[in-house]
Amino acid sequence: MSDLERYRYHVADDPEVRGTPLGRERVRGMSPPDGEEGRQEFNSAEAAARFYLAEKLAREEAPGLRHAVREDRPERVPDLALLEAPRRQAGMGTTLVRFEQTQQEIPVFGTEALVEIDEDQRLVSMDCRLGEVSGVGSVPELSGTDALERVRQATGSTVSAEDLPPATLAYVEQGDGWHLAWHLREVPAQLPAMRREPGDRGHGLGRSPREDFPLTGYLVDACTGEILRSYGMTPTVMVPTRLEGEDEVSVHHRFHGSQQNGSFLLDDRWRQIATYDLAFADLAQAAALPASAIGSSQADFGTDHRAGVSAHVNAERVARFYRDQLYRNGIDDAEMDLTSAVNCIYSVDGPGPEWVNAVWWKGRMWYGQVSVDARLVSLARHLDVIAHELTHGVIETSSNLVYQDQSGALNESLADTMGIIIANWYQAPDRDDVLTWTWELGVGLGSNGLPLRDMSDPSRTGDPSHMSQYLHTTTDNGGVHSNSNIHNKAMHHLLTSVDAAGAPVLTVEEWALLVYLAFVRLLRLSGFADMRQALRDVTKTYLAGNTAARTGALAAVDDAYQSVGIA
């Protein structure tokens, strides 16, 4: 997107303010009146963010940045629309406000402005990707239905407009300039060149509905009907009751559920976690989940529901880590229910009862099973795979990284990273000592008994570990599962980094928090280098009061990325 301009700012990099967040007066180069050093008088976080954007962007020479500010009333920043409610980052004490650029109320695809303010509504940082739309009108010559017909012809799909979100207009920049386009979302069809070929590992497990019915976004020229681009899209309080039972690996757990109508259910209303049994039905054809969660006549489930206990316990572990260590309020940071279904099959991949997969799809977790020693064992036993899949849900409801090419590979890598961190947090001999960790994701689930991924040595699974080996392909959404391993290797370097004395640069909790805080602030088209910069930004803020620790952590970030050729 050559016509989009990038603007970044962080108070730690501003030599004039020496790391002190900027308030209303200081951002204009003035000293605040006596006694007014504290909270700024804005009526909302959005108002504060718009003010700082107007002040900063109005001074830039790049037309794409100045274009977002209306000169007659720059405080309005009229061409930036709020994308979501401001989100407080409890681990940082700051708030993120995210905007999308528009022109004549039409969104500009790929543009965003992210503003970070502190508790006193002072400016901490900005990250903007904006453009000056020119040479194109705002009136389409083709209808949204016409655009969908072009996609149907190109993909061989029969999907109807009634099955999709309404088509909307968007401006999109190509090499030959700006275009007015129809934006079609969640189309369950890919262009032939983008389709997964037989034998491709893709997700790394068996076939799943997310891969056989990949949701794709399309931008179709609203005048000519040309498909300009496509991209992958990823997939009342009740007092809880103490329950117990054995999981798939014969570990006895105590956990929470509820008691209703004489039955004990895997339905934790406090934590909004519920687990259902699909009873080997085809998940793609199931009209709805069963009427109630998995139940037992006794509070001790014993060995009768191993798959359900595994899914329930591991979902709670992931949710607890995000809540307690990363301060996130549910998968979507808005108290989203965490629903799982075990004993699923997917008939396209075989008649069952085996289905070797676990997938986040339609806002839920779906688990298949594999035969082990003449017993069906649910993939819900793999905590790392569950954490990986649920992290896709976290990304989907925060930065929403476009599932294509490098942003898609980054999406996969961050899911891998959090899967490894969370699994070792609960299962490593010593969670605080990374030397005791396993860096294999999905142990035994890959080909020939290998893991799906090995963050310490991607070459074991035939994947690249350096940018010089980056795979350029149209399959697997641009090689997202292979190229993710380059960033995985950088994450391994980061999490195992030590100082000159051989001591860890930061604790596991701190690295996990910084990685999380970095990826929720990314823009949708961010790549590996953007993640590096985001990590640097949150590190500067998090360690602002400790110069030595900040210097060491920033050096560790740079070393980790440089080691794999990410500049």
Side-chain angles (χ1 to χ4, degrees), residues 497-509:
S497 59
V498 295
D499 60 20
V505 173
L506 292 178
T507 67
V508 170
E509 299 100 307

Side-chain angles (χ1 to χ4, degrees), residues 52-64:
Y52 295 128
L53 280 166
E55 289 294 324
K56 287 293 186 183
L57 297 181
R59 303 175 192 177
E60 293 298 307
E61 295 182 359

Side-chain angles (χ1 to χ4, degrees), residues 1 4 6 8 79-84 98-102 106-114 127-130 168-172 183 185 217 219 229 231-234 394-412 414 480 518-528 530-531 534:
M1 305 187 100
L4 295 184
R6 196 66 183 271
R8 285 192 175 107
D79 288 331
L80 294 176
L82 194 66
L83 268 178
E84 59 186 17
R98 191 182 295 267
F99 300 89
E100 180 180 52
Q101 186 180 3
T102 65
I106 296 175
V108 182
F109 181 77
T111 60
E112 277 183 273
L114 183 71
D127 189 359
C128 306
R129 192 194 300 267
L130 304 169
T168 57
L169 288 171
Y171 288 112
V172 60
H183 194 178
R185 299 175 179 83
L219 290 151
R229 67 174 61 201
Y231 63 93
M233 303 183 70
T234 50
V394 173
I395 294 170
E396 179 183 293
T397 53
S398 57
S399 53
N400 196 21
L401 288 165
V402 169
Y403 202 69
Q404 184 73 36
D405 301 325
Q406 198 170 123
S407 59
L410 181 58
N411 191 324
E412 278 296 324
L414 294 169
V480 296
F519 79 65
V520 297
R521 65 192 291 128
L522 294 173
L523 309 186
R524 284 170 291 182
L525 292 175
S526 293
F528 298 160
D530 295 309
M531 180 61 186

Side-chain angles (χ1 to χ4, degrees), residues 192-193 195-201 474-476:
R195 292 171 186 164
R196 181 180 176 183
E197 297 179 355
D200 288 349
R201 289 191 305 129
T474 58
T475 62
D476 191 26

Side-chain angles (χ1 to χ4, degrees), residues 66-114:
R66 287 185 57 84
H67 188 70
V69 182
R70 199 170 76 184
E71 294 184 356
D72 59 334
R73 295 188 65 187
E75 72 278 6
R76 297 272 314 270
V77 198
D79 288 331
L80 294 176
L82 194 66
L83 268 178
E84 59 186 17
R87 295 198 175 188
R88 176 172 168 76
Q89 307 298 290
M92 299 283 283
T94 61
T95 296
L96 298 180
V97 189
R98 191 182 295 267
F99 300 89
E100 180 180 52
Q101 186 180 3
T102 65
Q103 178 157 305
Q104 296 178 299
E105 299 185 353
I106 296 175
V108 182
F109 181 77
T111 60
E112 277 183 273
L114 183 71

